[in-house]
Amino acid sequence: MNDLTRTAITSVEVAQMVNKKHNELLKDIRRYTSQLGEGKIPFTDFFKESTYITEQNKTLPCYMVTKKGCEFIAHKL
């Protein structure tokens, strides 16, 4: 288990916490990573692309969200 896994939660969990649809949060995170990249800020300090498996055994995209990423999302709401 790497440091990011220990210190991050999934975007699925964040979406539940902020009462937002996961696909909408994914769109937001993709926009945030683009904005961070334009400012030469490494978005990997906030978000890391990942996947998860649904109850139907489908693999879908998600992000691992660090503490900084959670704070970033909270300030954007």
Side-chain angles (χ1 to χ4, degrees):
M1 182 181 287
N2 64 34
D3 287 336
L4 183 63
T5 304
R6 286 193 300 253
T7 60
I9 61 175
T10 68
S11 55
V12 175
E13 295 168 298
V14 174
Q16 291 171 346
M17 292 166 56
V18 298
N19 199 26
K20 193 170 200 171
K21 291 182 179 181
H22 185 243
N23 65 331
E24 293 298 320
L25 182 61
L26 286 179
K27 289 178 192 176
D28 291 344
I29 292 173
R30 289 178 182 127
R31 188 175 70 247
Y32 302 154
T33 59
S34 175
Q35 292 169 350
L36 290 166
E38 289 172 8
K40 305 278 192 259
I41 300 169
F43 70 85
T44 54
D45 289 349
F46 300 83
F47 312 105
K48 182 177 187 255
E49 289 187 50
S50 187
T51 59
Y52 72 103
I53 299 177
T54 68
E55 291 176 1
Q56 294 82 25
N57 209 28
K58 294 180 182 178
T59 301
L60 296 176
C62 74
Y63 284 87
M64 296 303 296
V65 183
T66 66
K67 181 179 177 186
K68 286 170 95 175
C70 287
E71 291 170 354
F72 190 91
I73 291 169
H75 289 293
K76 292 288 192 176
L77 290 178

